[in-house]
Amino acid sequence: EGGMVSPGEFIPILEESGLIIPVGRWVLRQALDACREWQKILPEFKVNVNLSYVQVLKSRVLTDVRRIVDEFGVKPSSVCIELTESGYLEENERFDKVWNGLKEYGVLLALDDFGTEYSSIALLRKLKPQLIKIDHTFVRSIQDDEMDQAILEYIMNLSKQTKIQVCVEGVENAEILAVVQSYQPELLQGYYYSKPCPAAEFYEKYFDR
């Protein structure tokens, strides 16, 4: 009733209350339900789902992911699980178990908000994700800040050598797109392409033609 609310506002509340755990399961089910239906039109369609560090630390999230993916009958490789690098700042056996278990199960793994923490490169070496998502804070000043340009170029070169895909977040307009494309990332994300929208609107925009 109050309109759209930013995840930056409601996710911390869900995490503090513990409600992120049942909500996280619901989100995964919603995403896989849509993925299953849309694969009937586009078999290679994939869906990305974020996990909260609270889900990892305080629930049987590895079991949940496996069970829900199997429940909807999609291939694990059709699902990409995104985890923020901030959750790994301290060594944690549970994180390692969940990360390695998901990788063994066959889902794709993405390190989200990459480049915002001091341990980024060490994490890359340890976790070996299939995908890293460059945080939008880099892109916001990419046209003017030579340091951010140099960091992005370094990450792009490193990822190409290690065969890790890169998604650049925060592509909000044609000007930013032109700069970012010069680094040749595999994937781009931002309002230039679409703002968040309900599944029905997404279907109408991209499938109902």
Side-chain angles (χ1 to χ4, degrees), residues 27-158:
V27 167
L28 184 59
R29 280 197 167 90
Q30 293 294 307
L32 293 184
D33 188 24
C35 182
R36 179 178 60 183
E37 291 303 308
W38 295 342
Q39 282 187 340
K40 295 175 183 177
I41 304 168
L42 185 66
E44 298 305 312
F45 186 85
K46 293 181 174 64
V47 67
N48 285 36
V49 180
N50 289 83
L51 288 186
S52 163
Y53 74 95
V54 176
Q55 290 173 268
V56 176
L57 291 178
K58 297 185 178 181
S59 74
R60 300 181 63 187
V61 69
L62 179 56
T63 300
D64 287 341
V65 170
R66 288 172 169 168
R67 178 170 48 81
I68 294 171
V69 171
D70 290 345
E71 175 186 333
F72 283 91
V74 300
K75 295 179 181 177
S77 58
S78 297
V79 182
C80 181
I81 298 295
E82 298 186 15
L83 286 155
T84 58
E85 65 166 311
S86 59
Y88 291 90
L89 287 181
E90 296 181 7
E91 289 292 324
N92 189 294
E93 291 183 8
R94 191 170 180 85
F95 269 110
D96 293 342
K97 181 180 179 181
V98 169
W99 184 272
N100 293 328
L102 290 171
K103 184 176 283 189
E104 289 172 9
Y105 179 58
V107 299
L108 304 177
L109 293 171
L111 205 52
D112 198 13
D113 300 337
F114 187 79
T116 57
E117 306 292 349
Y118 69 89
S119 58
S120 295
I121 301 304
L123 280 174
L124 202 61
R125 181 170 178 265
K126 176 184 178 182
L127 299 176
K128 299 178 176 63
Q130 288 103 334
L131 173 68
I132 56 175
K133 301 188 75 176
I134 306 296
D135 190 70
H136 64 88
T137 53
F138 279 103
V139 180
R140 197 178 293 161
S141 57
I142 196 70
Q143 294 168 278
D144 311 306
D145 194 313
E146 291 184 0
M147 177 63 76
D148 282 351
Q149 292 172 8
I151 292 172
L152 182 56
E153 184 174 3
Y154 171 76
I155 293 172
M156 290 302 306
N157 289 336
L158 181 63

